[in-house]
Amino acid sequence: MRPPITPIPPRKSQYGIDPALVKTRVSELPGMTSVLLKELFPDLPEVIYPGAGGVSAVRKATEEALKNIDMSRIKPEHSVNILASHHGFTLLGGEPYAEMLKTLKDVIEARTGCNNIRLRAGVGLRFRETEEYIKRYGLDKHFEGKAIGVAPIDQGIPIETEIGTLYGIRKIYDADWIVHAHNSDVREVHFHRQVDRAVKPFGMSYARIETRSTYHQNLGPRAANFTARAIFDSPFVQGKFAFASFLTVAPNGIIGVDADSDLYALNDRVTQIGCRYYGKMMTLFGEIDECIAALDFPCPVVYVFSAGVIYANFAGANTDLYDLDLPLPAYTWYTEAFYGKAGRPLLKDIPPLNPAIKMCVHNYAWTGYPSAFFSEHIPTVVVGQEQADLFNRDPQNLTYLKHAVVAETTEAAMEFAYKTTGTRKVLIFDGAMGGINVSEPLAELLLKKAPAVSERVENELLPKWLRQRGIDMSVLGKAAS
Amino acid sequence: MKVVNLLAAVDAEKCRGCKTCEKVCPVLAIKVENHKAVVDTERCRGCAACEQRCPDYAITMVKREQPVVVKVDVSAVDYARVEEICRRARLNPEQIICYCTATRAEEVAAAILQGARSPEEVSFLTGARTGCKVECIQPILRLLEAAGIKPEPPKDGWQWYGRTVTVWEIPDEVKHKYATRGFYFDEDIKLLDRVVAAPLQGRRES
Ligand code: SF4
Ligand code: SF4
């Protein structure tokens, strides 16, 4: 068995405890090992990062991808907003995304002579998060002071769309041109269901509360993604859209940079990667019969990740998140909203949270995302009083600890979990790169199940998933590279 | 229902009187007076919106000595009217509309029946929209509208701009145009209609 992979280190942030308080990582405990994702799925694409070239490989790939982009409409006297989103900064340590952003600025400046290029970095529910990343990765310096974080409660701008007025953040659109700088990580596939993934930030990171609330409360779980498309397709946004540049990501790392002035063409390529490779990881995770989920990553509870898959997706791995015939996965805000006062779903056919998760050990995770639904439905042990105190101060998580218990140490939490659940299978969400940290019995199970999962996805599930999204695999000419 | 255990505290040295906090406060509890922000401690719901957006980092959230429980008693109003407002807004009365505070539609409807006339009043009375501050503006606007109220956004504020489309209002031509791209409008309408009509579980809140 391989030794565990070193996880992403704890990170200083106003949303997490002091990194010095994270004394033990779950992967350091006895009985832990790792599985390389290529061992599970040998057909996973080759990655450019992590790799020998470090982030310079990302710079090279960005420059290469931008060669095909027509920038002639951007004039030296114009202004350009490069639009970024917070999640890119948590992918594989964050440096690759920051490097793509820096390269974008350098190339646009060199090619067009325009030097009024700004970075506008949108957030989720932690409004200072991208301000932290801007400093951490030196983006403020690189953009000569023109790099800011924007939040959904900042001043808005109405946008007329096919479905009526929606609202964007004014500072996102206060330039002649916008460049959509994102990544293809599937992240919250339980929400977007890999429908218009590449377009989603127009309804999220770049959008005001009215629009985000429309997505999460007004449209329904599968129609919701239309909010983003409606905004992107609006004459207002089309009049400013220059092009998009994406880090293309597979569960094992960054496979390249893909740029296009046709966002929907890029979206089709991204959909194929997302369904094929993440679909395999997700389906494999659905094969886990019982386990302890260990959270150990500088991110809110739902977003901690393992093998490119976030905890919220694992909490829904008892359902097929890609199958659009299935109305509601086991976790989305729509699902959560539909639990009545007795704590049961309002409809009998609403699936429960993944019953394979026997316990959750919260060794290290941030605040800033409403997570009490998880601790209410999955027995949860939080390591350390400081972490508990932090959650008790978070307006989004005032009841998280009402449903959880606190253990003094990581060791004690895991012992408690082993004893109470009776399973030794552990899946660690710690952002390990290229592989996953797990306990030995779980490693065995995953290795055993992977070949059949791979075959089922290729032959049965993937064709269905792509058909549901109107994507014809045979015309996907340009592979992302 | 929300337990308000925090309070915004302004560092007058750092405050430059820019009014950002005033524009983002969901309950209108902070105002700039004589070029300095002043918090109405009775009104503040501890949401940290001001702390999170002040460009000068002049606000910190401090622990309240006496936490305040914010809650509207649904049993104090006629439940038939609560149900009527909720279902007209196409929400199940027991549906959660604010994930951070687990506020259900019925509590917002009860707040409206007790006199709330705007999202700011709803938030003040129920605590909804004082967690993440992002996700629950639409159901609140829908419930107010269902009760026949047309609120105006706070003048010059950024609190909210307007109600937006619901799935029931998506035009047919839009549905047709995108029918093959994975948007399941009609299927979602069916699902949501079933949720709206679902029977109540009715356990008393402890
Ligand atoms: S946002 Fe900050 S600087 Fe501006 S008025 Fe409020 S406290 Fe003062
Ligand atoms: S309610 Fe929120 S925004 Fe208003 S003063 Fe209190 S903490 Fe600040």
Side-chain angles (χ1 to χ4, degrees), chain B residues 8 25-27 29-30 39 44-50 61:
Chain B
C25 178
V27 294
I30 187 165
V39 180
C44 172
R45 291 292 174 253
C47 74
C50 54
M61 300 307 296

Side-chain angles (χ1 to χ4, degrees), chain B residues 169-198:
Chain B
E169 299 159 314
I170 300 275
D172 279 341
E173 64 269 21
V174 171
K175 289 184 191 170
H176 277 126
K177 196 165 150 194
Y178 301 99
T180 60
R181 301 300 305 194
F183 302 108
Y184 282 48
F185 297 111
D186 288 331
E187 293 82 351
D188 274 359
I189 287 176
K190 266 186 224 139
L191 170 77
L192 297 183
D193 280 344
R194 284 173 58 220
V195 169
V196 176

Side-chain angles (χ1 to χ4, degrees), chain B residues 10 14-22 30 32 37 50 53-56 58-59:
Chain B
V10 181
K14 289 188 186 160
C15 172
R16 287 184 305 138
C18 72
K19 297 194 178 176
T20 301
C21 51
E22 196 179 300
I30 187 165
V32 173
C50 54
R53 292 325 286 150
C54 170
D56 291 288
I59 299 173

